[in-house]
Amino acid sequence: MDIVTGFMIWAAEASTIGVLLWSRWFYERQPFYFTWGTGFVFHGVGVGMVAMRGTLPDFVSIEIANVMALAGIGLWVAG
C-alpha cells in the first residue's frame, strides 16, 4: 500500500463519518452534530485533494487542500 492509497482511504473514512454525523443532525438537530459532520467532510475532501496531487493543479492540491483540511479540524474544535 502506498501513501496515495492511504490518503484516499483516510478521505473516504472521514467523509463517511461526516455524512453519518449529518444524518444524526437531521434526526436530533443538535448543532454540534452539524459542526462535526461539516468538519469531517471538509477534512475528507481536503485530504482527498492532497492525495490527488499531480492530477490537480498544484495550487488546488496544496494550498486549498490544506486550508480545507485545517478548516475541518477547526470545525471539530468549534463543535
Side-chain angles (χ1 to χ4, degrees):
M1 181 160 90
D2 62 343
I3 192 71
V4 174
T5 305
F7 275 146
M8 291 307 284
I9 291 171
W10 183 2
E13 181 181 350
S15 298
T16 302
I17 291 171
V19 169
L20 288 173
L21 285 167
W22 276 346
S23 68
R24 182 68 182 170
W25 175 75
F26 282 123
Y27 176 73
E28 203 167 314
R29 297 292 177 168
Q30 295 290 332
F32 61 89
Y33 286 127
F34 183 75
T35 306
W36 286 348
T38 304
F40 273 104
V41 169
F42 272 31
H43 191 76
V45 170
V47 170
M49 288 192 320
V50 168
M52 294 177 61
R53 188 165 182 210
T55 304
L56 295 175
D58 284 342
F59 180 76
V60 173
S61 67
I62 297 170
E63 304 294 330
I64 294 176
N66 285 319
V67 167
M68 286 190 72
L70 292 174
I73 293 170
L75 285 168
W76 296 343
V77 172

